[in-house]
Each structure stands twice: as C-alpha cells, then as structure tokens.
C-alpha cells in the first residue's frame, strides 16, 4: 500500500532529480536567513556550486547547538505573518530550541506522517490513540495530523490518566476493533 504512489515508486533517476530540485530550493531559502548566510560563509560554501547530490557531503550538518545559537528566530526563512505555529523544546540544557511552521509545513508534515503510518500497515479503519504530549513538544500534533490525514479516528489522549484511557477503550469497544482489524 502506498500513500503517494507516484513518489514512492519513481525511478532512481527521477528520485535523484526531485531530491536535487528540493535540495537547491532548500539551500536557497536557507541562505536568506541570518544564521545560514553566516554558516555558509564560515564553511566556505557557495550554494550555487552545489549541482549534484554528491555535494551533500560538503555541507556541514546543522546541530542542536546551531539551533540554540540561532535562537529565537535566526533560521526563519519566511515573513513572520506566514508562520502559523511554533514549537519548543523543554530547554533542559538551559535554552529551548524553537521551530516555526508555515501552513504548508504543517500540511507536508501531516502527509509525511501519514506515509509513515501507511508503511507500518495503518489504515483509515484504525483507531489512533495518541499518547504523545500536546504542549510545546512537536511530536503530539504531528502524529495527530498524520493520523487524521490518513483517515483514522484519533483519540487525543496525551499521557497520564491511564485508567481513564483504558476505560474509554473498553467502553468504546476499541480493544475489539483492534483484535478484529
């Protein structure tokens, strides 16, 4: 089963062409940010010279420390009015890392999570009880929207109150649905 059959079954040549197109667009967008302008300059990277996927090895990885150094919004590549959501880490090491999303980012994220769920055998007939947190942590809503995009019934339970969650599963016959499915 496929979520995006045209993408998931494309030829290696077509896949690499798509990857290169998206890499070029991502680098150009990144270069508009204060952080990446300096990052590319310090690393001696001319993004115009990156013409194949082989050049990926020449681009340093972005680290969690880079996210902290660019705090709060040094990596944002769109106008603030285009940002529809922000998530943040707990900041247990001192400073939170923040991630900003546009509406298109949220839609892409939901599609990617739906694709992953389909790859594990999940279908629209499944019930998805989301135990991830729904606070500033980014995972809860990503899984929620992906499961909804796939068509699952989503129960946004978050963590805690385990007895109530199990009680709901029994009362709604969700255990039977799982064993039949």
């Amino acid at each position: 089963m496929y979520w995006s059959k045209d993408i998931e079954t494309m030829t290696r040549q077509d896949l690499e062409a798509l990857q290169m197109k998206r890499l070029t667009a991502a680098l150009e967008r990144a270069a508009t940010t204060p952080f990446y302008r300096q990052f590319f300059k310090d690393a001696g990277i001319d993004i115009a010279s990156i013409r194949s996927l082989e050049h990926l090895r020449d681009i340093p990885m972005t680290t969690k420390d880079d996210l902290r150094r660019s705090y709060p919004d040094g990596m944002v590549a769109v106008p603030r009015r285009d940002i529809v959501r922000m998530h943040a880490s707990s900041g247990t090491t001192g400073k939170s890392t923040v991630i900003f999303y546009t509406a298109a980012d949220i839609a892409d994220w939901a599609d990617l999570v739906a694709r992953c769920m389909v790859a594990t055998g999940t279908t629209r007939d499944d019930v998805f009880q989301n135990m991830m947190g729904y606070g500033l942590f980014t995972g809860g809503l990503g899984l929620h929207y992906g499961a909804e995009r796939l068509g699952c019934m989503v129960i946004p339970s978050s963590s805690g109150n385990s007895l109530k969650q199990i009680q709901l599963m029994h009362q709604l016959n969700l255990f039977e649905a799982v064993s039949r499915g």
Side-chain angles (χ1 to χ4, degrees):
M1 178 180 281
Y2 300 102
W3 176 252
S4 302
K5 188 173 183 177
D6 55 328
I7 290 176
E8 295 174 54
T9 60
M10 65 177 39
T11 66
R12 170 57 89 189
Q13 182 179 0
D14 289 344
L15 175 62
E16 288 177 2
L18 177 62
Q19 289 171 328
M20 191 62 216
K21 177 181 173 185
R22 289 182 177 177
L23 173 63
T24 300
L27 291 171
E28 289 171 355
R29 198 168 41 256
T32 68
T33 70
F35 177 83
Y36 278 106
R37 260 193 311 276
Q38 190 63 46
F39 185 84
F40 294 149
K41 181 180 176 184
D42 292 347
I45 296 171
D46 174 13
I47 61 170
S49 68
I50 298 173
R51 295 288 170 227
S52 79
L53 295 176
E54 294 298 316
H55 289 123
L56 271 173
R57 69 179 66 143
D58 301 328
I59 304 171
M61 293 290 179
T62 301
T63 67
K64 186 100 173 191
D65 283 336
D66 293 331
L67 291 171
R68 289 186 190 101
R69 278 195 295 278
S70 69
Y71 182 89
D73 58 1
M75 288 187 184
V76 174
V78 298
R80 187 172 285 245
R81 70 181 175 276
D82 293 343
I83 297 170
V84 299
R85 184 174 316 142
M86 184 216 66
H87 287 275
S89 69
S90 62
T92 55
T93 60
K95 187 186 286 188
S96 291
T97 56
V98 292
I99 304 296
F100 299 90
Y101 299 92
T102 66
D105 295 330
I106 300 296
D108 288 344
W109 187 14
D111 278 338
L112 291 171
V113 172
R115 182 192 297 181
C116 291
M117 293 179 81
V118 166
T120 67
T122 307
T123 72
R124 65 175 298 112
D125 296 322
D126 289 311
V127 175
F128 183 75
Q129 185 164 344
N130 193 356
M131 309 294 276
M132 301 297 271
Y134 279 83
L136 286 173
F137 171 65
T138 196
L141 285 168
L143 289 168
H144 181 113
Y145 288 148
E148 279 186 346
R149 179 72 49 97
L150 180 55
C152 297
M153 177 181 29
V154 177
I155 303 172
S157 57
S158 196
S159 60
N161 206 355
S162 301
L163 183 58
K164 180 67 172 176
Q165 291 187 47
I166 292 169
Q167 192 177 45
L168 277 171
M169 286 189 277
H170 277 292
Q171 290 169 348
L172 296 171
N173 294 319
L174 298 179
F175 286 120
E176 291 177 26
V178 169
S179 64
R180 284 192 312 261

